[in-house]
Amino acid sequence: MIVQLNGKELANNIYDKLKENLNLIEHENNITLVVIQIGNNEASNVYIKNKKKACEKVGINFQHYKFSEDTKFDDAIQFIEKINAEPFVTGIIVQKPLPEHLEGIEQFISPEKDVDGFTFENLGKLVSGYNEIIPCTPSGILDLFNYYNIDLKGKNIVIIGRSNIVGKPMALAALNKDATITICHSKTKNLKFYTSNADIVIVAIGKANYIDSSYLTSKCMCIIDVGINKVDGKLCGDCNYNDIVEYWEKLEETGYNETRFITPVPGGVGPLTVANLISNTVTQALNKNFIKD
Ligand code: GUN
């Protein structure tokens, strides 16, 4: 059987649960997510719109501050520090990608208001396994594993992509679940050597349709595609979905009866990244006792 992992459905379940939890407490509209955007990246504009919609869905406040590409480092820091001090702001993110001269400004977000989990303090907690805030995309991927009962214990997971947003935190989060992790990247020699031994492949390289069935063997039970690319105006992932599914169908015809899982693009990982941002925002708000109960 081939199962398409439905991120949209799971994201909606997360929103319903968050709404239910928020209804039980008197939060007096005190939960506020601030998104700081610098520049006018087209994809970021879309992601931020989705984050706003998600906040509205669960009934928390959303503020979006947008600055020009040539914002000075000191001015950006000063703004973050001002927002850190706002008592009703419970979550802050700096939308990536950033202009090069501003790389690292997210480190000035207070760790207790960091809802991306990108600050050194929150990443350090993830390294040691004492984390509460996991970066939103890896956290969403863990939700999928959990929802579809995909046990990570002892599994060979190959992660393709070593970004601070996805690859590295994903490796730590999966390691904390007792998986064996290999991180591959653009300088990896003979990528197929690694993917051919994988039980699970997580792809986050930003190259449309790059990973196809030629990278896989019958061992592979699950493909998680983090990519969001546009080809001829149409969204597609980093994996060649149709080619992989066809390969799996052929395996089934030749007697391989295992269940295999794959995320679609869109509707796979993407909605869960946003849902986990909202979930992290609620978690941080509860931690801060901004909410009466
Ligand atoms: N850009 C793409 N994904 C993310 C994310 O999870 N957080 C932030 N801040 N920027 C992103």
Side-chain angles (χ1 to χ4, degrees):
M1 187 167 56
I2 298 166
V3 176
Q4 192 186 71
L5 302 172
N6 190 338
K8 218 169 168 183
E9 175 186 285
L10 180 50
N12 282 329
N13 291 352
I14 292 170
Y15 293 130
D16 287 345
K17 216 170 269 168
L18 285 171
K19 245 189 309 191
E20 224 173 84
N21 290 344
L22 288 173
N23 281 340
L24 294 176
I25 51 177
E26 214 181 309
H27 61 90
E28 298 181 330
N29 291 328
N30 282 353
I31 304 177
T32 300
L33 171 65
V34 168
V35 176
I36 299 169
Q37 181 185 12
I38 298 174
N40 190 34
N41 180 284
E42 203 186 316
S44 293
N45 291 336
V46 175
Y47 297 149
I48 292 168
K49 228 184 259 171
N50 291 340
K51 290 169 184 180
K52 180 172 188 262
K53 265 194 235 158
C55 285
E56 287 165 358
K57 211 180 258 188
V58 297
I60 64 177
N61 304 315
F62 176 88
Q63 291 175 5
H64 176 202
Y65 296 94
K66 191 168 181 174
F67 297 97
S68 76
E69 192 88 23
D70 56 8
T71 298
K72 292 198 170 61
F73 190 87
D74 287 352
D75 291 339
I77 301 314
Q78 206 171 36
F79 183 75
I80 291 173
E81 282 172 348
K82 188 179 115 189
I83 297 293
N84 278 339
E86 290 283 341
F88 293 126
V89 172
T90 50
I92 304 171
I93 69 163
V94 173
Q95 186 67 31
K96 304 278 189 130
L98 282 167
E100 216 175 307
H101 69 287
L102 296 179
E103 276 303 334
I105 59 169
E106 69 278 3
Q107 295 307 327
F108 290 83
I109 295 172
S110 299
E112 68 272 16
K113 295 190 178 186
D114 164 27
V115 286
D116 258 329
F118 291 166
T119 56
F120 296 147
E121 183 165 329
N122 286 322
L123 283 173
K125 286 181 181 171
L126 183 58
V127 169
S128 55
Y130 292 107
N131 54 281
E132 223 170 353
I133 301 296
I134 300 177
C136 307
T137 300
S139 184
I141 294 170
L142 289 186
D143 285 342
L144 279 174
F145 290 142
N146 198 31
Y147 189 62
Y148 286 93
N149 290 317
I150 301 168
D151 187 16
L152 302 190
K153 198 175 288 177
K155 295 279 163 47
N156 285 335
I157 301 186
V158 172
I159 299 167
I160 312 177
R162 56 174 157 180
S163 72
N164 291 336
I165 297 181
V166 183
K168 288 183 207 167
M170 185 70 241
L172 292 166
L175 183 62
N176 290 342
K177 302 272 179 204
D178 297 327
T180 301
I181 310 300
T182 305
I183 306 183
C184 298
H185 48 80
S186 56
K187 305 290 185 295
T188 297
K189 288 179 185 155
N190 196 359
L191 182 56
K192 286 182 184 174
F193 170 80
Y194 300 97
T195 53
S196 62
N197 196 38
D199 300 306
I200 297 171
V201 182
I202 300 174
V203 190
I205 49 175
K207 288 183 184 171
N209 301 316
Y210 190 82
I211 298 295
D212 60 19
S213 62
S214 70
Y215 285 83
L216 310 176
T217 63
S218 60
K219 279 189 85 166
C220 182
M221 308 310 294
C222 179
I223 299 280
I224 304 289
D225 188 348
V226 181
I228 302 177
N229 310 289
K230 230 180 201 177
V231 174
D232 300 331
K234 227 181 127 196
L235 287 183
C236 68
D238 292 347
C239 298
N240 188 332
Y241 181 96
N242 289 338
D243 180 68
I244 291 169
V245 168
E246 267 173 38
Y247 167 62
W248 283 355
E249 282 169 351
K250 270 186 204 138
L251 281 181
E252 280 187 341
E253 283 165 20
T254 51
Y256 288 89
N257 293 318
E258 301 91 341
T259 304
R260 295 175 202 269
F261 302 89
I262 185 164
T263 54
V265 176
V269 175
L272 289 167
T273 296
V274 183
N276 273 275
L277 175 66
I278 309 305
S279 175
N280 282 348
T281 302
V282 172
T283 301
Q284 291 286 44
L286 289 165
N287 282 346
K288 281 292 281 178
N289 284 330
F290 283 146
I291 299 163
K292 285 183 184 170
D293 58 1

